[in-house]
């Protein structure tokens, strides 16, 4: 079949150029999986694999948003997402109070709050030209504080059984949060690769002034990126509150740093404009598999941070070499 | 006082200085003039030890010296005040003057009192009235310049090079600066004064040396040299490059501007551009050429003025508005404003026309590749493929990509700011014929350039700028370098 041959020969170089930047990180992930399956007999069991994916889903959703923000460059980063997760769990559980009738109002309320936080971050950064790091550090602190005040610092509220399906349900044999995570990831991948919006994000991250002089309304797109990040944090928060059935102001603590780590391990440049979703998902999976493996091997949880930190450092050194 | 003998300096592909011999007498103000790329800055960099010459000798006070680094130059009493001032804005005058040579007490603590006293004495001696306590970032450019001068003299400079010191100054500040220059001269300081402005040269300089294409044209006493002669010394070049013939028919008026003003930068600019013509805008550094086209494109804000595009009154507040009105802009700084170096050739080329090849926000891959491929062929861009990063291309090919960006849009007016700066001759010629072709296809083209040959060779009409105003409009044929240069230097003709 000459047609197929020609099609393949045209497809292969394209795949190679696309896969090139993430090739080493995929190899590293594969190695990790192989090592893990040797070290722990339970690692490759279907239940364990879905367990890993389920635990990765909230972080994965946050990391998709973080990838947009970091790609947009010019110091772009969103430190407020962890706090938004916390506040979402508290508000959602607090409004629901175990009543099914309050699910919809609660979801709308947290979405509204997420939208406001994203718009606030975006406005500060685009309109008042504040530094994203400091700005989102401020919003993070305020949001965290609000969650603490609302719950008086202790776990609070509750979710009705139906709502827990979001975290505990299955479609076929795949857990619902995994489906949500993969859908968000697929949409993120598509938006970045195939849409005008995605291309503009790369352009703004690559060089904001060139983008502006090419007629791109830079501020509008940067604003959108922070809103996307906040809204995805709300989604992650809803999945988390469904899992633990109670609002907890400390649930999202440090989450933003994991999301940044996953994005950077996945090869997205902190300078912006280079990288993408294909790397981020592996970054998320590396962190998730590592956590899982350390648990399976009964390594002290207090050592997890050391391992994660070392992986980040190695990933950064690998990127420097390129 | 200072003698530079037979200095040669080559950069890859260019002979920047060709057997340059330059002498300055003690206590004079000596002007060094010449067009862009004449070699002034390279010569001064050699004097300051920032660049090493390939061959040649330098002697100071009759003694042969070897200036290998900036530190040596400083010890020999040479100081340069660059256009971009070298002060730390958050520190005050005293701290800046003593930066790197602070007076210390025993134990290494700063002796602030001693430094303040010394600085006060220094400023009094120079009769400079500058606040010593204020962070210099809060002071005017003129005052900052005085602090630079004080810093130089504090280090006992005997030869002071000033590179375009008045470029950012108001008329009043210029007077103050000139008073200081003359006082320094009385105190025996030798000053080399680089400037484009004729008036200044005649006002404060004793002698003038003209450079052109890396060579010295001559040194004259200013009081025995007329303005016309000086201009002729600067420009005497031949039209050797080949420019495509003009075929201007003067079509409909595409752009019309009345009384465009940006306070302190542009004053009451009026101009018009028709379909099918290439309009050249020229002027010296700081004349407002780039500022003018950026204002037209909406890249910088304006204070007042009216703009018509295709007979319709428009208000262009941002590049986005400009693009929607059918205006495209290829900026001067290719690497920082023209192309995204870390992005592929294809993605750069379709940056401005992406919505046109997308349906409900989704890019049509196949159409995009076809579009980019056509542009690569049309402009003869030398690239290994569409996914090649633009940063890996040569300067000329990068410029072609920056230009290609606008061809797929529906632009009616294209603005090129220094379209051939820093690219090789072959690519230059291609870009010239390309601009002409665009005009022939019915587009209106504006080309900003400081290269007079380029302006004369390609323009159907020429606007000359000086100090933020248009000082003259000339037809493309019949204009001569002398006339443009006179207008550009603010000379009365």
């Amino acid at each position: 079949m000459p047609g197929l041959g020609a099609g393949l020969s045209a497809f292969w170089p394209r795949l190679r150029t696309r896969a090139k930047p993430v090739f080493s990180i995929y190899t590293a992930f594969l190695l990790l999986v192989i090592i893990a399956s040797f070290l722990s007999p339970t690692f490759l069991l279907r239940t364990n694999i879905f367990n890993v994916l389920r635990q990765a889903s909230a972080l994965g959703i946050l990391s998709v948003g973080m990838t947009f923000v970091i790609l947009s460059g010019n110091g772009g980063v969103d430190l407020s997402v962890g706090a938004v997760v916390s506040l979402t769990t508290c508000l959602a559980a607090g409004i629901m109070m175990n009543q099914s009738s309050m699910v919809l109002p609660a979801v709308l309320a947290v979405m509204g709050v997420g939208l406001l936080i994203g718009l606030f971050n975006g406005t500060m950064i685009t309109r008042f030209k504040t530094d994203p790091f400091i700005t989102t550090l401020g919003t993070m602190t305020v949001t965290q504080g609000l969650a603490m005040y609302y719950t008086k610092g202790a776990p609070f509220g509750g979710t009705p059984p139906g709502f827990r399906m979001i975290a505990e349900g299955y479609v076929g044999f795949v857990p619902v949060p995994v489906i949500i995570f993969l859908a968000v990831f697929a949409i993120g991948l598509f938006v970045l690769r195939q849409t005008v919006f995605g291309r503009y994000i790369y352009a703004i991250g690559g060089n904001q002034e060139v983008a502006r002089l090419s007629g791109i309304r830079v501020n509008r797109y940067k604003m959108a990126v922070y809103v996307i990040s906040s809204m995805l944090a709300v989604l992650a928060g809803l999945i988390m509150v469904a899992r633990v059935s109670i609002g907890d102001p400390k649930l999202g603590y440090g989450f933003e740093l994991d999301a940044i780590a996953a994005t950077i391990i996945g090869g997205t440049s902190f300078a912006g404009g280079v990288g993408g979703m294909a790397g981020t998902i592996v970054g998320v999976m590396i962190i998730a598999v590592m956590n899982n493996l350390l648990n399976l091997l009964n390594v002290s949880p207090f050592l997890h941070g050391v391992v994660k930190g070392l992986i980040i450092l190695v990933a950064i050194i690998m990127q420097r070499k390129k | 006082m200072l003698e530079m003998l037979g200095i040669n300096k080559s950069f890859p592909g260019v002979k920047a200085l060709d057997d340059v011999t330059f002498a300055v007498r003690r206590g004079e103000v000596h002007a060094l003039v010449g067009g862009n790329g004449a070699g002034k800055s390279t010569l001064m960099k050699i004097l300051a030890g920032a660049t090493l010459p390939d061959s040649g000798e330098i002697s100071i006070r009759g003694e042969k010296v070897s200036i290998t680094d900036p530190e040596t130059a400083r010890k020999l009493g040479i100081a340069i005040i660059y256009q971009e001032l070298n002060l730390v804005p958050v520190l005050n005058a005293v701290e800046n003057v003593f930066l790197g040579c602070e007076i210390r007490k025993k134990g290494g603590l700063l002796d602030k009192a001693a430094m303040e006293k010394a600085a006060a004495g220094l400023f009094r001696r120079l009769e400079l009235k500058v606040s010593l306590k204020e962070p210099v970032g809060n002071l005017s450019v003129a005052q900052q310049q005085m602090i630079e001068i004080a810093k130089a003299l504090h280090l006992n400079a005997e030869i002071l090079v000033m590179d375009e010191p008045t470029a950012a100054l108001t008329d009043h500040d210029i007077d103050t600066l000139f008073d200081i220059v003359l006082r320094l001269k009385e105190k025996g300081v030798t000053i080399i004064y680089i400037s484009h402005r004729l008036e200044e040269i005649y006002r404060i300089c004793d002698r003038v040396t003209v450079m052109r294409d890396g060579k010295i044209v001559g040194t004259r006493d200013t009081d025995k040299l007329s303005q016309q002669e000086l201009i002729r010394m600067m420009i005497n070049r031949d039209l050797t490059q080949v420019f495509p013939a003009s075929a201007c028919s003067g079509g409909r008026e595409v752009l019309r501007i009345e009384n465009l003003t940006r306070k302190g930068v542009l004053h009451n600019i009026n101009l018009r551009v028709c379909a099918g013509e290439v309009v050249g805008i020229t002027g010296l550094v700081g004349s407002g050429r780039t500022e003018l086209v950026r204002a037209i494109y909406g890249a910088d804000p304006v204070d007042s003025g009216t703009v018509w595009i295709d007979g319709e009154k428009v208000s262009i507040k941002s590049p986005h508005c400009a693009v929607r009105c059918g205006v495209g802009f290829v900026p001067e700084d290719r690497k920082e404003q023209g192309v995204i170096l870390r992005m592929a050739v294809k993605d750069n080329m379709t940056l401005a026309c992406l919505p046109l090849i997308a349906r409900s926000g989704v890019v049509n891959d196949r159409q995009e590749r076809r579009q980019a491929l056509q542009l690569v062929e049309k402009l003869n861009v030398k690239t290994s493929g569409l996914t090649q990063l633009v940063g890996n291309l040569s300067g000329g090919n990068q410029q072609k990509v920056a230009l290609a960006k606008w061809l797929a849009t529906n632009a009616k007016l294209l603005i090129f700011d220094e379209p051939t700066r820093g690219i090789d001759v072959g690519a230059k010629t291609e870009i010239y014929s390309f601009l002409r072709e665009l005009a022939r296809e019915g587009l209106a083209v504006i080309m900003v350039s400081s290269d007079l040959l380029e302006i004369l060779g390609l323009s159907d009409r020429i606007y000359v700028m000086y100090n933020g105003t248009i000082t003259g409009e000339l037809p493309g044929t019949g204009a001569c370098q002398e006339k443009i240069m006179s207008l550009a230097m603010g000379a009365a003709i």
Side-chain angles (χ1 to χ4, degrees), chain B residues 46-47 90 101 180 220 276 311 320 336 344 359 383 429 440 479:
Chain B
I46 288 174
L47 184 62
V90 292
C101 53
I180 294 168
R220 302 288 163 78
H320 179 76
E336 286 303 319
R359 260 178 109 178
T383 169
T429 318
R440 206 172 287 142

Side-chain angles (χ1 to χ4, degrees), chain B residues 148-210:
Chain B
E148 278 265 15
I149 294 172
K151 192 175 161 187
L153 296 175
H154 160 67
L155 300 166
N156 297 318
E158 290 178 45
I159 299 171
L160 188 62
V161 181
M162 304 176 87
D163 188 0
E164 296 264 359
T166 57
L169 297 188
T170 62
D171 287 346
H172 173 74
D173 289 339
I174 291 176
D175 289 341
T176 320
L177 178 75
F178 285 177
D179 282 346
I180 294 168
V181 168
L182 294 176
R183 266 205 306 278
L184 291 176
K185 181 183 157 184
E186 279 165 26
K187 289 184 201 296
V189 178
T190 308
I191 292 163
I192 299 174
Y193 189 89
I194 299 178
S195 178
H196 282 304
R197 301 188 184 184
L198 285 186
E199 184 219 3
E200 295 176 4
I201 295 166
Y202 280 97
R203 198 165 135 197
I204 59 164
C205 299
D206 306 305
R207 293 198 301 160
V208 52
T209 293
V210 180

Side-chain angles (χ1 to χ4, degrees), chain B residues 3-24:
Chain B
E3 217 172 350
M4 301 177 84
L5 271 178
I7 307 277
N8 281 292
K9 175 73 189 176
S10 294
F11 294 112
V14 210
K15 182 119 200 182
L17 293 177
D18 186 358
D19 196 22
V20 166
T21 294
F22 176 60
V24 182

Side-chain angles (χ1 to χ4, degrees), chain A residues 7 61 102 132 173 186:
Chain A
I61 292 167
M102 290 308 283
F173 52 83

Side-chain angles (χ1 to χ4, degrees), chain A residues 188-250:
Chain A
L189 187 74
F190 177 78
V191 166
L192 276 183
R193 282 205 177 156
Q194 297 303 138
T195 66
V196 175
F197 179 85
R199 185 69 59 77
Y200 284 179
I201 298 304
Y202 278 105
I204 291 165
N207 187 325
Q208 183 167 312
E209 186 60 7
V210 176
R212 187 176 83 98
L213 291 178
S214 298
I216 297 171
R217 280 175 287 188
V218 171
N219 283 351
R220 186 174 290 209
Y221 289 93
K222 278 169 81 173
M223 179 84 100
V225 154
Y226 286 94
V227 170
I228 289 173
S229 176
S230 262
M231 293 309 278
L232 288 179
V234 167
L235 181 58
L238 286 173
I239 291 175
M240 303 255 313
V241 73
R243 185 158 78 213
V244 298
S245 313
I246 194 164
D248 183 345
K250 290 180 188 136

